[in-house]
Amino acid sequence: MNTSDYISDGIIESYVLGFITPEDKEKLDQAMVLFPELAAELAEVERRMERTAFNMAVKPPEELKKKFLEMVKEHEEMYMEAPEQEKIFVGITPPVDRMTVHRGWKVVLIVYLALMVLALAAMLLYYFVPNL
């Protein structure tokens, strides 16, 4: 297939729009490497389609912009009035030279150590204090 066939058959337009088959895409990619005029035509087709899209674009109604800006302002006000929440950081590691422990485990450790001290005191009283 020569370059004029690619240009006249609409394959380049299909390529730009994404409607081309994978086999034809592969052939066109190879042909663009061999024939620089195909790459130039592809760029021109892209520019033409972009100009057409911008020229035929329908502008949204002006009141839509006003409604949108009002909604954004309401959400900003709601965000500003919302109570500040505790921030949760995911994936942050503590410093290497310092170990951190959740306060719940600290309470458990204190209770466990207190029970061990009481058990030790009870054993000492039982074995070493006579006639109790």
Side-chain angles (χ1 to χ4, degrees):
M1 190 179 262
N2 62 22
T3 58
S4 62
D5 291 339
Y6 280 109
I7 295 170
S8 64
D9 286 346
I11 294 176
I12 294 178
E13 286 82 0
S14 298
Y15 181 90
V16 171
L17 293 171
F19 297 141
I20 195 168
T21 63
E23 296 84 21
D24 288 341
K25 181 183 182 311
E26 183 69 30
K27 288 179 188 176
L28 185 60
D29 287 339
Q30 291 173 357
M32 282 192 291
V33 170
L34 297 174
F35 304 107
E37 59 267 14
L38 281 178
E41 181 66 23
L42 175 70
E44 180 58 34
V45 167
E46 286 176 338
R47 279 192 295 273
R48 236 185 355 244
M49 287 187 175
E50 185 177 2
R51 274 194 308 254
T52 303
F54 278 116
N55 290 337
M56 296 182 73
V58 177
K59 292 187 177 183
E62 191 62 34
E63 61 267 4
L64 184 65
K65 180 180 177 181
K66 291 177 185 175
K67 287 181 183 178
F68 178 74
L69 291 175
E70 286 173 7
M71 285 176 39
V72 168
K73 187 175 181 180
E74 287 176 11
H75 284 290
E76 284 178 350
E77 289 172 359
M78 285 176 37
Y79 180 73
M80 297 305 255
E81 292 173 1
E84 192 163 325
Q85 298 176 354
E86 183 178 332
K87 293 179 175 63
I88 299 173
F89 298 98
V90 179
I92 296 178
T93 56
V96 178
D97 60 340
R98 194 172 139 213
M99 184 174 89
T100 59
V101 180
H102 189 270
R103 71 185 118 181
W105 286 110
K106 292 177 184 177
V107 171
V108 169
L109 180 64
I110 291 171
V111 169
Y112 179 74
L113 290 175
L115 288 175
M116 293 296 286
V117 169
L118 289 174
L120 183 62
M123 286 190 314
L124 289 173
L125 284 174
Y126 183 76
Y127 285 113
F128 295 110
V129 176
N131 297 329
L132 237 185

